[in-house]
Amino acid sequence: MGAGRRALITTAVTVVCAVTVLAAPGIAFASPAPTPTPSTSASPTPVTSKDLEAVRAKLDDLYHDAAVATDAYNAAEEQAQKQSAQIVELAKKIVKGQEKLDELKDRAGAAARSQYRTGGLPDEAQLILSDNPQAFLDGAGRILQGQRATKGLIAELTRTQQDLKQYTADASTQWQQLEKNRQAKAAAKKEITTRIAAAEKLESQLEKQEKERLAKLEQQAALKSQTAWLDSGVLKDISGKASAAGKAAVAYATAQLGKPYEWGAEGPKSYDCSGLTSQAWASAGDPIPRTSQEQWKQLPHVDVKDMRPGDLIIYFDDASHVAMYIGDGAIIHAPRPGRTVTIAGAGSMPILGVVRPDA
């Protein structure tokens, strides 16, 4: 392994950093500098652990950014689905309202025609001209009832027109919001693919042995975090038993072990982190929000010492990752692209907090 290989790894990290910055919205693209040609120096200078640690840190950043963008994509997708359903319901109301309006107009027209046929004579004149005063009085009563009915008909007609106007305005608002969410989905998708492509490019620069060493560094980092978490004594305080729904959610998640991570996926063949947890709890009969950030916002919080199997652990300050606690200090989660649903230490990542779907 020559100095050129080490230089190539360092350059790869630099180039990937530049690419991800240039891909950010609002920043113009610049022509990339040519990749340096590896030196043919005979003196072997292996890629050091420090170099690989820099690669590991950059990969963590890239996949974290992809996870944040995935949450944004999932949130936009969830909102778009709700808005589409609302638009369909509004369309149904508009159709029914128009049918009702047409019927009311027909009835109003019939009432107007009936009134026209009476000639519009005053009641006194009709009484004098009538051959049967009693029949006139009976008819006058019916006319009074008809006038009241006509007033009610006009009021109902006005309300229906107002309802139709409101339904149309609501549908227009929903369409505008739907378009905004489509744009948000497209932007998030671009961000996700950019970050993942940059991570894959960086990893592709490594030789097989270096990838193995990188994997060991990742394992060591996770073990170090888990050990520190356990050494804090937190596990001795955790003794909660799973609820029936919690057991069902854990069983569902466990059955997905080994399935690949795929951003935006909710199963059954692949999952992202919140796709796994939301589907697990849906299968247990307790639907929860789709994204890790909304799970953190909307679900009841519990102390770490009080958590029980089935609870969800939210990670990182921005709530960009979620896993399911299964007991004995372990979690099941869908980690990131290129990985599969797996069991890991609950303390292997920075814990933001714990939420309980069936509190």
Side-chain angles (χ1 to χ4, degrees):
M1 173 90 56
R5 281 288 299 138
R6 181 176 177 182
L8 183 59
I9 296 300
T10 303
T11 302
V13 175
T14 304
V15 170
V16 166
C17 289
V19 168
T20 53
V21 169
L22 291 172
I27 300 177
F29 284 88
S31 298
T35 303
T37 303
S39 169
T40 56
S41 171
S43 57
T45 306
V47 174
T48 66
S49 294
K50 184 178 180 180
D51 296 327
L52 286 178
E53 184 59 35
V55 172
R56 186 190 71 80
K58 187 56 191 174
L59 287 174
D60 283 348
D61 288 343
L62 290 169
Y63 284 123
H64 173 266
D65 291 347
V68 173
T70 297
D71 236 25
Y73 178 92
N74 290 335
E77 171 69 14
E78 186 175 36
Q79 285 301 312
Q81 290 176 354
K82 289 180 181 178
Q83 284 149 7
S84 294
Q86 289 170 348
I87 288 170
V88 169
E89 289 304 311
L90 285 168
K92 291 178 180 178
K93 289 181 178 180
I94 289 172
V95 170
K96 289 182 179 179
Q98 189 61 56
E99 290 174 349
K100 182 178 180 181
L101 186 62
D102 292 342
E103 178 191 352
L104 290 171
K105 285 182 177 180
D106 287 344
R107 288 168 56 191
R113 290 191 296 273
S114 175
Q115 188 176 17
Y116 176 79
R117 285 194 297 269
T118 66
L121 292 174
D123 290 347
E124 295 85 351
Q126 291 190 44
L127 177 60
I128 293 171
L129 296 173
S130 174
D131 294 332
N132 188 340
Q134 185 59 48
F136 164 76
L137 292 174
D138 292 342
R142 287 193 296 272
I143 290 172
L144 183 59
Q145 291 175 354
Q147 288 174 340
R148 290 172 180 167
T150 300
K151 287 181 180 179
L153 179 63
I154 293 172
E156 188 175 3
L157 187 65
T158 301
R159 284 195 303 271
T160 302
Q161 289 173 325
Q162 291 172 342
D163 288 344
L164 273 173
K165 184 177 180 180
Q166 186 61 52
Y167 294 154
T168 303
D170 290 346
S172 176
T173 299
Q174 291 298 332
W175 272 114
Q176 292 172 3
Q177 195 59 45
L178 180 61
E179 182 57 30
K180 286 182 180 179
N181 278 307
R182 284 174 177 163
Q183 293 173 0
K185 277 176 59 181
K189 181 177 180 179
K190 182 178 179 181
E191 178 76 3
I192 294 164
T193 54
T194 296
R195 302 301 179 188
I196 293 176
E200 291 174 344
K201 178 179 177 64
L202 182 53
E203 289 181 296
S204 71
Q205 305 295 329
L206 301 175
E207 299 288 353
K208 179 181 178 181
Q209 295 86 344
E210 292 163 352
K211 290 179 180 178
E212 292 173 352
R213 287 171 58 198
L214 179 62
K216 287 182 180 179
L217 284 176
E218 292 174 345
Q219 293 169 1
Q220 289 170 1
L223 179 60
K224 181 179 179 181
S225 297
Q226 174 72 354
T227 300
W229 184 69
L230 293 175
D231 287 347
S232 70
V234 64
L235 198 58
K236 65 181 177 61
D237 295 325
I238 301 175
S239 58
K241 302 297 182 182
S243 64
K247 289 179 180 178
V250 170
Y252 180 96
T254 302
Q256 313 315 310
L257 286 171
K259 292 185 178 180
Y261 177 101
E262 181 182 0
W263 64 266
E266 300 178 80
K269 294 182 179 180
S270 57
Y271 297 87
D272 62 21
C273 67
S274 57
L276 177 64
T277 55
S278 61
Q279 288 301 305
W281 273 99
S283 74
D286 284 282
I288 62 175
R290 169 65 177 89
T291 69
S292 58
Q293 291 176 346
E294 288 305 311
Q295 289 170 7
W296 174 243
K297 288 179 184 177
Q298 297 185 35
L299 298 179
H301 293 199
V302 297
D303 289 337
V304 172
K305 63 181 178 63
D306 296 325
M307 69 181 176
R308 64 193 188 193
D311 287 348
L312 305 181
I313 303 180
I314 310 296
Y315 292 96
F316 304 107
D317 290 341
D318 53 8
S320 57
H321 190 69
V322 61
M324 180 177 293
Y325 184 64
I326 59 174
D328 297 325
I331 56 170
I332 288 180
H333 70 145
R336 65 169 174 81
R339 302 293 172 81
T340 61
V341 176
T342 189
I343 294 175
S348 59
M349 296 170 285
I351 295 176
L352 176 61
V354 180
V355 295
R356 178 165 295 163
D358 63 337

